[in-house]
Amino acid sequence: MFLKTFSCRVLGSFPRCGVIFPRNPLGARYAALGQCSERAYYNRPGCSGSGGAAHVRVVDLRSDTVTKPGPAMRQAMAEAEVGDDVMGEDPTVNELQKIAAEMFGMEASLFVPSGTMSNLIAVMVHCRERGDEMIVGDLSHLHIYEQGGSAQLAGVHATTVTTRPDGTFNLMQLEEKIRHGYPDPHYPRTRLICVENTHNIQGGRVLPLPFLQEVRALADRYGLSVHLDGARVMNAAVALNVPPSTILQHTHTVSVCLSKGLGSPVGTLLAGPQDFISRAVRCRKALGGGMRQAGVLAAAGKLSLQQMVGRLGEDHHNARTFALALLDCEPSLFVVDMSAVETNILRFRIKDSALSPQEFCARMGQVGVGEEAALGQGVQVLMYPHHENSIRAVWHLGISPEDTQLAIKKMQFVAAQLLNEQVKAQ
């Protein structure tokens, strides 16, 4: 039989799959605080969108950016006290920035519209002269998915180091990339090292604290700065069961996204030393990121930091539950490295080369023939083909344990369909 769970009734009832893991104890701590081709997964895949008939359940695993603010967040936004933030007079923005700086263990922070702008501002401030150079991982979000803005807008050159499967890179290679010829006019001047935690392309991997410590020591030795693209650093903190400041003590600056797993509709926080943030304010203005009565958005950010961090462990648990279900195939159809399933992002592969990630995503995103009878309803599970012929699925606050079980049942249904088609073709 193709799947263990189909041993009795291939397309009949589907049992619940997966195992239960204890919730991460960090949740209680924070609750107390009050694509169709590789490297192109941001494009919509060639499968059904998030719409559909009323009897169709959509489980959207494309990204944690699809989260929507709930009633409490919308109320906080509606009732937010506001002022002109460009003049520094929005009390809600000021309070959010203070909360973030304290949580991150930084002197100050700045509320900006997006993670891409936040990273660009950090590069502009750290690399003060056009022609300066930063060192980034070759699979980093900053290098792959931000349109080369550092070169395009800031005049900063990037050199890359090889990204390992766990999101780290070889420190000897990193040291070799540092330029030592300045002020020789032939070479750019190395100013900055950028790291990413959790690592997006590598499947939400958490950077080990010793690695960050060694990167910082290397940077200090050569007078360089370390910037962390921490769009999902709160996921890393929950996974490690440490406060974010424990991670960020090894970096000079950080960019933390509020609109992914933390559920805000808009916004990122850039944090670092006070003089860095003072210069960042000027760069934000130059890039068109100065917002006026931004307290309406900052109110959502406050709720994200104070109430949404602890629940990230639920996303991690749901991702792992689905990953275990993928492994529960006999003969094995999917390749999953369980040691790499650390947070809310899951990358997996299909063993059968006859089935492409694109086709699998298309089948998961469509309501198949006989599906409603087998599952009791139509289920569209939206995923993306991803880097190196893999598939990416991302869990977030909009996906419940029940949604995860539906996604498992849909995966089993699609697998059974494939088995039936193979049998008929023989």
Side-chain angles (χ1 to χ4, degrees), residues 85 97 108-112 118 121 268-271 277 280-281 284:
D85 181 50
Q97 292 173 163
S109 75
L110 182 67
F111 185 51
V112 301
S118 182
I121 291 172
T268 290
L269 287 156
L270 178 62
I277 294 299
V281 171
R284 183 186 67 173

Side-chain angles (χ1 to χ4, degrees), residues 91-156:
T92 308
V93 172
N94 292 340
E95 186 177 1
L96 169 64
Q97 292 173 163
K98 181 180 179 182
I99 291 170
E102 293 175 354
M103 181 178 287
F104 302 158
M106 299 285 185
E107 291 182 2
S109 75
L110 182 67
F111 185 51
V112 301
S114 73
T116 295
M117 180 181 288
S118 182
N119 282 335
L120 178 56
I121 291 172
V123 172
M124 292 173 71
V125 176
H126 284 301
C127 302
R128 303 185 187 184
E129 300 178 16
R130 295 183 67 84
D132 281 347
E133 184 174 72
M134 63 177 179
I135 304 173
V136 299
D138 62 343
L139 296 182
S140 65
H141 192 282
L142 198 155
H143 183 61
I144 300 292
Y145 296 121
E146 298 181 14
Q147 208 183 106
S150 297
Q152 184 181 163
L153 301 175
V156 174

Side-chain angles (χ1 to χ4, degrees), residues 142-219:
L142 198 155
H143 183 61
I144 300 292
Y145 296 121
E146 298 181 14
Q147 208 183 106
S150 297
Q152 184 181 163
L153 301 175
V156 174
H157 182 259
T159 189
T160 62
V161 289
T162 303
T163 304
R164 290 170 164 173
D166 65 353
T168 66
F169 31 79
N170 182 286
L171 293 176
M172 290 183 63
Q173 184 188 29
L174 172 62
E175 187 169 13
E176 290 171 354
K177 291 286 185 172
I178 298 173
R179 308 276 187 170
H180 301 291
Y182 187 84
D184 186 313
H186 293 90
Y187 308 111
R189 180 178 184 179
T190 304
R191 290 277 198 178
L192 178 65
I193 300 170
C194 296
V195 291
E196 182 177 338
N197 193 17
T198 63
H199 200 284
N200 184 349
I201 283 184
Q202 299 294 38
R205 298 303 301 268
V206 179
L207 299 187
L209 292 176
F211 168 75
L212 291 173
Q213 186 175 12
E214 289 181 277
V215 170
R216 176 60 183 266
L218 181 64

Side-chain angles (χ1 to χ4, degrees), residues 300-348:
K302 284 175 53 182
L303 191 146
S304 288
L305 291 182
Q306 294 176 326
Q307 299 184 26
M308 304 300 285
V309 176
R311 62 150 307 282
L312 293 175
E314 299 174 18
D315 300 335
H316 302 177
H317 162 67
N318 290 334
R320 191 170 179 85
T321 296
F322 188 85
L324 288 169
L326 290 173
L327 289 179
D328 193 32
C329 290
E330 194 174 283
S332 178
L333 175 64
F334 303 102
V335 178
V336 183
D337 179 2
M338 291 303 301
S339 67
V341 186
E342 297 180 313
T343 56
N344 65 320
I345 302 178
L346 170 63
R347 281 184 64 197
F348 61 97

